[in-house]
Amino acid sequence: MSDAADSLISAAPGSREPAATTVDRRLDAALRGSGMAWFERDLESGLVTGSPSCAEIFGLADPLGPWPFTDFLARIVPEDLESYQRAIELPVPAAQSASNAIRYRIRRPDGNLRHVEARYGDLREHDRSYRFGLVM
């Protein structure tokens, strides 16, 4: 691996923080700066994990999760909820993974209306199924 690549996955010099945590922070900073966040939903448990910027977009109190999927559904405006649920319940063929997108509106706890777009796909890993993607 090149020195440049090593610097992207190693902790800051002198840091006791694990390298993976450093990468997570850098990824979240890049996503936050572009107005995006990553998420994954365990399709069996219904729990959602994601970047702290995901919590910011949706106005979730706990920035680290995991969050119940119902917390996200509760924020979708009633006029968009049915089409959202219809779209996300369809399985995503592997060839189209991460190429699906849906736009909808949410009402944040502070009362502000926000337009959201999610791009997502399905993943099967360690005998579990996940829906993963980006939200912006």
Side-chain angles (χ1 to χ4, degrees), residues 36-39 97-104 116-121 131-136:
M36 299 189 311
W38 69 267
F39 69 90
S97 192
S99 65
N100 293 297
I102 184 169
R103 292 182 177 151
Y104 54 98
V116 176
E117 179 176 346
R119 295 183 180 267
Y120 60 92
R131 174 130 316 151
F132 69 97
L134 293 173
V135 65
M136 52 205 100

Side-chain angles (χ1 to χ4, degrees), residues 77-95:
V77 298
E79 300 83 11
D80 293 352
L81 185 57
E82 185 179 334
S83 62
Y84 173 88
Q85 287 179 307
R86 209 174 28 248
I88 65 155
E89 293 309 319
L90 296 173
V92 179

